[in-house]
Amino acid sequence: MTSSQSARHENGVHYFRQGWTLISLPGIRRFVILPLAVNVLLMGGAFWWLFTKLGEWIPAMMSKVPAWLSWLDYLIWPVAVLSVVLVFSYFFSTIANWIAAPFSGLLAEQLEARLTGKPLPDTGIWDIMKDLPRIMKREWQKLAYYLPRALLLFALYFIPVIGQTIAPVLWFFFSAWMVVIQYCDYPFDNHKVSFADMRRSLGSNKIDNMQFGSLVSLFTMIPVLNLVILPVAVCGATAMWCDRYRHVYVKNNVDVNSTRK
């Protein structure tokens, strides 16, 4: 891994690429299996159902376009499809993340130990069960941050013209930012960094982080590739944590907040 000093020159694309490499590390692959299985089962079934419904939903959306904009059908139609796929993919990836959260946190923990050269934590099923209340509380914090902003953006879809043009773009960038929060949260939460402190830290590198989040969002919409993106994103975000943020919250290998029990 690069040092914190040199890592400042690495962008979000680098960490996204690194995630694909890290999931295959010996000793790490076994921690990839459970979040991968959750994502394959949920996202695979969800996207199969979605593509059976697109033929009904898209014409219904297009019927809301004013007659005087009918000449823009060729442009609005693909934007409408992209909007549905984007909202749908983020919704079901969020559900997958909730279910896989304990295993994703464990993956981030084990990978961090591997990347930093520190002794591997001895974490078993009982340790995961004890951590469940804290993990679920953190997921609720992310949901509370997400919902009001998502509802506001969703309301834009019902405004003629704006709903078919600007709203999908705003939704994509918002989804990319939420992806950064979702996956970077695992290593931050392992060190009990507060949700507010994490957002402030991520905001200090917003352009690079948005590159990472945008790539993850795009791959979440691509069939087959979206089945493996969950552990890839966790690994990429953990590498980013080790390079960019760990030195801020961990001094002399002791957590600034508290060590994980």
Side-chain angles (χ1 to χ4, degrees):
M1 294 295 296
T2 56
S3 67
S4 298
Q5 185 76 18
S6 61
R8 292 172 188 166
H9 301 291
E10 301 291 1
N11 58 27
V13 177
H14 165 81
Y15 292 110
F16 180 74
R17 289 200 308 262
Q18 201 170 24
W20 291 93
T21 302
L22 293 173
I23 59 171
S24 61
L25 281 179
I28 295 298
R29 287 192 293 260
R30 62 195 178 104
F31 296 101
V32 170
I33 293 173
L34 283 173
L36 179 62
V38 170
N39 208 46
V40 167
L41 291 173
L42 187 59
M43 293 296 286
F47 266 80
W48 174 83
W49 182 78
L50 170 65
F51 288 120
T52 65
K53 295 294 183 180
L54 276 178
E56 303 174 17
W57 293 350
I58 299 304
M61 289 180 66
M62 295 301 295
S63 67
K64 305 296 183 183
V65 177
W68 60 274
L69 281 178
S70 59
W71 60 279
L72 278 178
D73 279 359
Y74 73 95
L75 176 63
I76 295 176
W77 189 89
V79 171
V81 173
L82 180 63
S83 299
V84 172
V85 174
L86 186 60
V87 173
F88 190 88
S89 61
Y90 187 81
F91 176 74
F92 277 94
S93 66
T94 299
I95 295 176
N97 283 323
W98 270 64
I99 297 173
F103 310 113
S104 295
L106 179 59
L107 170 59
E109 183 182 68
Q110 295 289 322
L111 180 61
E112 180 183 340
R114 174 68 176 270
L115 294 178
T116 58
K118 307 306 175 189
L120 288 173
D122 184 18
T123 306
I125 296 297
W126 177 241
D127 298 295
I128 295 175
M129 295 299 293
K130 287 191 296 184
D131 266 349
L132 272 179
R134 178 180 60 81
I135 293 171
M136 290 299 105
K137 178 183 177 182
R138 189 67 164 223
E139 293 301 316
W140 277 109
Q141 284 181 299
K142 285 182 275 190
L143 186 63
Y145 176 83
Y146 166 79
L147 271 181
R149 294 162 176 82
L151 290 173
L152 179 62
L153 284 174
F154 184 71
L156 294 180
Y157 278 90
F158 296 94
I159 302 175
V161 184
I162 291 177
Q164 290 76 35
T165 54
I166 299 175
V169 176
L170 294 176
W171 184 272
F172 177 81
F173 285 114
F174 174 62
S175 296
W177 174 240
M178 285 305 305
V179 160
V180 173
I181 288 176
Q182 178 65 55
Y183 292 108
C184 288
D185 185 57
Y186 296 120
F188 275 90
D189 187 41
N190 282 345
H191 290 274
K192 299 182 174 65
V193 178
S194 74
F195 186 66
D197 285 344
M198 179 194 69
R199 287 193 288 111
R200 279 192 290 269
S201 293
L202 294 177
S204 66
N205 294 289
K206 204 158 192 175
I207 294 177
D208 289 344
N209 289 337
M210 287 294 287
Q211 291 174 353
F212 177 80
S214 296
L215 284 169
V216 174
S217 293
L218 285 171
F219 274 66
T220 301
M221 295 185 288
I222 302 174
V224 180
L225 290 178
N226 62 7
L227 301 181
V228 298
I229 199 62
L230 192 158
V232 169
V234 173
C235 289
T238 302
M240 189 188 301
W241 152 266
C242 291
D243 282 350
R244 289 176 176 265
Y245 307 109
R246 188 179 189 275
H247 69 283
V248 176
Y249 296 101
V250 182
K251 305 293 187 183
N252 298 321
N253 303 323
V254 178
D255 287 11
V256 171
N257 300 284
S258 62
T259 56
R260 186 175 183 183
K261 301 297 184 183

